Amino acid sequence: MPNKKHFTEFSYNPQITVDAEHGIIIAEDVVQNVRDVDQLKPQIEQIEEVFGELPEDMVVTADNGYHSSKNIDFLKQRNPDGYIPHEKLASRMKKKETKSKRFSKENFEYNTKKDEFTCPNGETVKFSYEYFDKHKGKQVRVYRGVGCGRCQDKKLCTKSNHKPKLIKCYGNETNLREMAEKMESAEGQEVYRVRSKTVESVFGHIKQNIGLREFLTRGLENVRAEFTLTCIAHNMKRILKIKSQIKDIEANTVENRRHNHTSFKKLCEKLRKHGIISCVP
């Protein structure tokens, strides 16, 4: 398949969805598509197929590779509380990029009813035309600035000396902005941090501890079977560890009860000797 460097090679793209509380893989697949953005919906549908209706309090986090208007709309329809940053926000969260510039798209106010933007200087940017971007596989809506010619900050806003400001939108702008606002909040960033501790650690375990750094079989169906077995091995190990932890907790609870009961008996003995109480349980 074509890789991220735009070379074609014999490779596969494994996908997993992990339960954050227990570290158990609840959905998995292998595809020959370098674009992760197309895999969110199949993963959610696989969870529904296995577990039934999604719980109302379900939280879904994914990295910026899964960010698209289509995926955000899908999550909103299915009701999971989704957290997916766009590329620029993900870079800022990783401290690879400073705050957005004054005339960046996110600083243009969007009016849902009028379907138009207002720039920081108060000028209007109206819808002009749309087209299909074959490279990104998305429908693009283009908005054109109305009063750019008389704006004194035009050089800061657009690189072109002759053309007005152009804004490109890849889907439902309202939902995209709601997601961006949620991701920029302290709560959203805290929820998103959990993702690196769940999915990334599981992939690390599969590569480092299980030793699956490359597939031993060939052909998509064979590779899928190989990866499924690997995920089963991971889950079995996690389940055994969880059971062991539960036994330890139960044992500690029983031991604590015994300790507390023994301490209570000793206290009662002392009180009885001093004539404060007349019986010992």
Side-chain angles (χ1 to χ4, degrees):
M1 71 177 185
N3 60 23
K4 293 180 180 179
K5 296 179 181 179
H6 305 293
F7 293 108
T8 300
E9 61 181 357
F10 198 69
S11 57
Y12 303 92
N13 183 5
Q15 300 284 321
I16 59 173
T17 302
V18 181
D19 171 38
E21 184 176 356
H22 302 101
I24 293 175
I25 299 171
I26 56 176
E28 53 82 21
D29 195 11
V30 178
V31 296
Q32 287 185 300
N33 183 354
V34 70
R35 287 160 47 86
D36 289 334
V37 71
D38 299 324
Q39 307 310 318
L40 180 68
K41 183 179 178 182
Q43 288 286 293
I44 299 296
E45 289 176 340
Q46 188 180 141
I47 295 170
E48 289 179 322
E49 183 180 348
V50 174
F51 297 98
E53 188 176 350
L54 299 177
E56 293 182 0
D57 58 347
M58 182 176 180
V59 176
V60 176
T61 61
D63 65 30
N64 61 286
Y66 296 86
H67 184 276
S68 72
S69 178
K70 187 177 179 180
N71 284 340
I72 292 171
D73 293 345
F74 172 75
L75 290 177
K76 201 161 187 177
Q77 291 170 1
R78 296 297 178 95
N79 291 326
D81 189 13
Y83 293 84
I84 311 175
H86 56 74
E87 187 175 358
K88 289 184 179 180
L89 178 57
S91 296
R92 289 204 298 271
M93 290 171 68
K94 293 177 182 177
K95 298 181 180 179
K96 292 182 179 180
E97 187 179 308
T98 57
K99 292 184 178 180
S100 61
K101 297 178 181 179
R102 185 187 175 202
F103 292 100
S104 296
K105 177 185 172 182
E106 52 261 42
N107 292 328
F108 281 61
E109 185 179 341
Y110 178 68
N111 188 314
T112 306
K113 293 182 179 180
K114 294 183 178 180
D115 188 24
E116 64 183 27
F117 293 86
T118 302
C119 82
N121 286 347
E123 298 292 346
T124 304
V125 185
K126 293 187 175 183
F127 172 72
S128 179
Y129 62 95
E130 62 182 332
Y131 68 96
F132 184 78
D133 188 328
K134 293 182 179 179
H135 178 67
K136 294 185 177 181
K138 299 177 181 178
Q139 193 72 17
V140 185
R141 292 174 61 84
V142 181
Y143 296 75
R144 186 187 297 269
V146 176
C148 297
R150 59 178 178 269
C151 181
Q152 60 183 2
D153 292 326
K154 183 180 178 182
K155 291 183 179 180
L156 300 175
C157 185
T158 177
K159 295 179 181 179
S160 175
N161 294 325
H162 307 289
K163 295 181 180 180
K165 173 73 173 181
L166 296 179
I167 293 179
K168 294 182 179 180
C169 293
Y170 298 87
N172 189 320
E173 187 65 21
T174 301
N175 288 347
L176 288 170
R177 288 187 170 239
E178 285 180 1
M179 177 62 73
E181 288 177 7
K182 185 163 63 170
M183 287 303 307
E184 287 177 339
S185 67
E187 180 185 355
Q189 294 188 28
E190 185 63 32
V191 171
Y192 185 71
R193 286 191 191 98
V194 177
R195 194 200 71 83
S196 61
K197 300 176 184 178
T198 53
V199 176
E200 300 302 336
S201 63
V202 171
F203 269 125
H205 170 70
I206 289 174
K207 289 180 180 180
Q208 184 66 30
N209 299 330
I210 296 180
L212 184 66
R213 292 185 175 274
E214 59 182 29
F215 292 107
L216 302 177
T217 56
R218 292 294 179 266
L220 184 59
E221 292 305 314
N222 292 334
V223 169
R224 280 176 170 166
E226 183 181 351
F227 190 64
T228 297
L229 290 173
T230 303
C231 292
I232 290 172
H234 166 82
N235 283 350
M236 289 180 67
K237 187 171 183 178
R238 282 296 305 153
I239 290 169
L240 289 173
K241 187 172 183 179
I242 291 169
K243 288 184 69 176
S244 175
Q245 290 172 344
I246 292 172
K247 286 182 179 179
D248 290 342
I249 292 171
E250 290 176 346
N252 289 334
T253 302
V254 172
E255 186 63 31
N256 288 337
R257 286 176 181 172
R258 288 175 180 171
H259 175 73
N260 292 337
H261 185 65
T262 303
S263 300
F264 181 65
K265 286 184 71 175
K266 289 180 179 179
L267 176 62
C268 289
E269 283 284 357
K270 290 181 180 179
L271 295 175
R272 186 182 63 79
K273 288 179 180 179
H274 289 82
I276 298 174
I277 59 174
S278 58
C279 64
V280 178

